[in-house]
């Protein structure tokens, strides 16, 4: 089955700096790659996603890149703000719509 | 905005007791998922339903866990007997599933936090 690895497990950045989180997946059949943000005590919420026919997608300060050949994808957050502090999960999804999540990255944005 | 509803939000029980969680997905969502999230880790799939049918329950500990979605709408996850290691957040999620051509967004409920003493 699919296996998703995520790095780093924790990340601290200064407010205004950029943050990058990387994920790798094992199943070449996976075709949808969402990123979820989970604030303390709250439900995970989708922040951005990318499909396998696209290499990059951007939405204001966040962007995701996908390298299908290498089977990895990354989340990029620019101009980080304190409200970006949360745990971020990547996921890989195949045709069976089974969402396999990475272990998460705890991002802390220091003022 | 429609949300996935879960209850109870919190449950404290003693080991060997039975516990049940309920989930009502967003109306029209064909696919329903139960995930277990241990503190500090990512959600792990327990069971996936497509309408009333189980699509994947390979990670469900079937000796003590059961899940049903009898009418293809709301769902119940049961644990009997509960063990100390079952303490976790149980997240329900839903998506349009097969009713959309592409994989759609997964919407999560608030979760049910279980503490087994």
């Amino acid at each position: 089955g699919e296996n998703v690895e995520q790095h780093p497990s924790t990340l601290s950045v200064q407010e205004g700096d950029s943050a990058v989180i990387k994920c790798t997946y094992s199943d070449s059949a996976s075709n949808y790659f969402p990123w979820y943000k989970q604030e303390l005590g709250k439900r995970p919420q989708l922040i951005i996603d990318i499909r396998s026919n696209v290499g990059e997608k951007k939405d204001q300060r966040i962007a995701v890149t996908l390298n299908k050949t290498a089977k990895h994808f990354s989340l990029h957050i620019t101009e980080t703000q304190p409200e970006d502090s949360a745990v971020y999960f990547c996921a890989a999804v195949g045709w069976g719509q089974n969402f396999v999540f990475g272990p998460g990255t705890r991002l802390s944005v220091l003022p | 905005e429609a949300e996935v509803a879960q209850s109870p939000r919190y449950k404290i029980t003693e080991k060997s007791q039975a516990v049940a969680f309920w989930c009502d997905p967003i109306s029209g969502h064909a696919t329903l998922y139960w995930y277990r999230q241990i503190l500090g880790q990512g959600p792990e799939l327990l069971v996936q339903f497509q309408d009333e049918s189980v699509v994947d329950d390979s990670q469900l500990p079937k000796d003590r866990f059961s899940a049903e979605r009898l009418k293809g709408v709301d769902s119940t996850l049961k644990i009997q007997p509960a063990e100390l290691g079952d303490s976790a957040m149980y997240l329900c999620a839903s998506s349009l599933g097969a009713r959309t051509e592409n994989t759609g967004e997964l919407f999560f409920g608030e979760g049910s936090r279980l503490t087994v003493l």
Side-chain angles (χ1 to χ4, degrees), chain A residues 90-102:
Chain A
C90 62
V93 190
W95 292 110
Q97 303 204 7
N98 179 4
F99 287 67
V100 179
F101 288 87

Side-chain angles (χ1 to χ4, degrees), chain B residues 71-88:
Chain B
K71 296 183 180 179
V73 181
D74 59 336
S75 175
T76 302
L77 176 71
K78 296 178 181 178
I79 308 174
Q80 183 173 15
E83 296 182 352
L84 295 177
D86 296 333
S87 294

Side-chain angles (χ1 to χ4, degrees), chain B residues 41-58:
Chain B
Q41 299 182 18
E44 295 180 321
L45 181 70
L46 291 174
V47 61
Q48 177 185 349
F49 290 92
Q50 178 67 38
D51 296 313
E52 67 276 7
S53 300
V54 173
V55 173
D56 184 354
D57 64 355
S58 57

Side-chain angles (χ1 to χ4, degrees), chain B residues 21-63:
Chain B
F21 304 112
W22 176 80
C23 172
D24 191 13
I26 293 172
S27 178
H29 279 195
T31 308
L32 184 148
Y33 307 78
W34 282 102
Y35 284 91
R36 178 169 57 188
Q37 185 177 28
I38 296 171
L39 194 63
Q41 299 182 18
E44 295 180 321
L45 181 70
L46 291 174
V47 61
Q48 177 185 349
F49 290 92
Q50 178 67 38
D51 296 313
E52 67 276 7
S53 300
V54 173
V55 173
D56 184 354
D57 64 355
S58 57
Q59 300 304 309
L60 188 71
K62 298 182 187 62
D63 57 334

Side-chain angles (χ1 to χ4, degrees), chain A residues 31-32 36 38 41-46 49 51 89 93-104 106, chain B residues 3-4 9 31 33 35 37 40-43 45 48 56 91 95 97-98 102-106 108-110:
Chain A
N31 57 17
Y32 175 61
Y36 284 80
Q38 187 174 29
K42 296 189 177 180
R43 72 186 83 192
Q45 292 194 305
L46 179 72
D49 57 11
R51 301 190 186 275
F89 295 100
V93 190
W95 292 110
Q97 303 204 7
N98 179 4
F99 287 67
V100 179
F101 288 87
R106 181 173 299 279
Chain B
E3 293 187 341
V4 176
R9 289 291 310 279
T31 308
Y33 307 78
Y35 284 91
Q37 185 177 28
Q41 299 182 18
L45 181 70
Q48 177 185 349
D56 184 354
L91 290 165
S95 72
N102 290 320
T103 302
E105 179 178 351
L106 195 62
F108 284 91
E110 294 277 9

